[in-house]
Amino acid sequence: QRAQVAQACTCLGQFRSAMSIIWKLLLVSAGHVLETGAYSKAVNVNAEGSFTFLATDVTPLSEEEEALNDALKETDDKPLRGTGRKWLKVGRPQYVHWAKTAIRRTFCESGLGAGQAAFALLTYSSGHLYEFDSVKKNHTRHAVRLLKEKFPGNVDIAGGLSNATVERFLKDHSNVTCDMLIVDGSNSTSVLHDLKLFANLASKKHLLVLDGAPCSSDSCIAAKAAWDSLQESGCVRSSGRMAVDSKRGFTYGEYMKCDLWPNLSYASPLNGL
């Protein structure tokens, strides 16, 4: 009997190992990346420090998003190549989930890019977007035109460098707070400055997203360092992170009251993630 029990335990262990390998292969084929080794899994860190999967919303592209993609295909810089296509499969589901399930109504973003995140948020919510972007790239100009066309009255765009436009916005619109704040991590010279400025816009119950890390490319170093420095100072708290591919990822969490912003109006925990 002991031998039979031992054999059964061995078989059970082998079965669990096999299922673990199969599950990891399924994750990789779905576009997620394991955080250890060569891949990186989309994870959410709960209060106990363990991990759960981020949203995998499979909502088809809306008419508005299809219009954006059609317009982007005509641009000379082709933002739908590479990372752009992978973002549609991996990053977009999380943004759609946030737009559908959260109580957030005001979005503030530095760095519009191709507009895919902005379109996902506005399509699946009744929110208002305040956008800070220099609008120099061709695909960004297309995105601005379509945002104003598809969401009239729901978009305000401050053209220019974010470190100047956000400060001006804070002076001119002191009554505005942002329920979801998205900071562009691709601009290594301004990412830390933008993270600090956006703290002044955060509502009591807010979500902070850093678009730009984690990833394995050198282009993510500045964004990760900026977030890590604020986290070590107790000024932000991470709730989850996702690598879209080797050149792009995003981290999300919330601002915490600290010496940098002692007057932050703060409520925890985050809701609607």
Side-chain angles (χ1 to χ4, degrees):
Q1 282 186 335
R2 289 180 180 177
Q4 290 176 338
V5 171
Q7 185 177 6
C9 290
T10 300
C11 291
L12 179 60
Q14 292 174 341
F15 174 77
R16 286 177 175 172
S17 297
M19 291 302 296
S20 176
I21 292 172
I22 292 171
W23 181 238
K24 289 177 181 179
L25 288 173
L26 288 172
L27 283 172
V28 172
S29 66
H32 297 294
V33 197
L34 285 178
E35 224 171 275
T36 54
Y39 298 101
S40 177
K41 183 174 65 177
V43 295
N44 178 64
V45 188
N46 64 22
E48 290 74 36
S50 58
F51 300 99
T52 56
F53 296 106
L54 290 172
T56 54
D57 194 298
V58 291
T59 302
L61 289 178
S62 65
E63 179 182 338
E64 292 83 1
E65 290 172 299
E66 291 284 8
L68 173 66
N69 288 347
D70 289 342
L72 293 178
K73 290 174 184 176
E74 303 302 320
T75 64
D76 51 5
D77 35 7
K78 303 295 183 184
L80 290 182
R81 290 178 178 172
T83 296
R85 285 199 301 267
K86 291 179 181 178
W87 188 89
L88 288 175
K89 295 180 180 179
V90 183
R92 176 182 175 271
Q94 186 64 37
Y95 278 83
V96 171
H97 170 73
W98 282 329
K100 283 183 173 181
T101 62
I103 59 174
R104 301 171 186 89
R105 290 292 176 267
T106 306
F107 308 113
C108 296
E109 180 181 34
S110 71
L112 177 62
Q116 294 160 322
F119 266 74
L121 292 173
L122 291 179
T123 298
Y124 299 102
S125 75
S126 57
H128 189 98
L129 172 67
Y130 293 97
E131 186 67 52
F132 305 91
D133 194 288
S134 59
V135 197
K136 290 183 177 180
K137 294 183 179 179
N138 194 22
H139 62 257
T140 304
R141 289 193 289 269
H142 279 270
V144 168
R145 175 180 59 81
L146 281 172
L147 277 170
K148 292 180 177 180
E149 177 185 314
K150 299 294 183 180
F151 307 101
N154 284 6
V155 180
D156 284 296
I157 298 174
L161 297 176
S162 58
N163 53 8
T165 56
V166 175
E167 288 185 355
R168 190 182 314 123
F169 184 88
L170 285 167
K171 292 178 182 178
D172 296 342
H173 304 277
S174 58
N175 60 324
V176 174
T177 59
C178 307
D179 305 312
M180 182 172 178
L181 308 102
I182 307 160
V183 175
D184 178 15
S186 66
N187 191 336
S188 59
T189 60
S190 66
V191 56
L192 181 59
H193 190 258
D194 287 353
L195 280 168
K196 290 179 177 180
L197 277 180
F198 266 31
N200 298 289
L201 288 168
S203 65
K204 190 174 182 179
K205 293 184 179 181
H206 67 272
L207 173 67
L208 172 64
V209 180
L210 174 63
D211 191 337
C215 80
S216 58
S217 170
D218 289 347
S219 62
C220 293
I221 292 176
K224 184 178 184 301
W227 184 277
D228 288 349
S229 68
L230 292 177
Q231 183 167 258
E232 289 170 6
S233 301
C235 295
V236 300
R237 179 167 62 186
S238 298
S239 296
R241 56 191 179 271
M242 171 187 280
V244 175
D245 63 9
S246 63
K247 295 183 179 181
R248 185 178 180 186
F250 62 83
T251 299
Y252 73 85
E254 60 197 314
Y255 287 109
M256 303 289 289
K257 187 177 291 188
C258 70
D259 292 340
L260 289 178
W261 32 80
N263 298 320
L264 179 72
S265 179
Y266 169 71
S268 184
L270 284 169
N271 294 316
L273 292 181

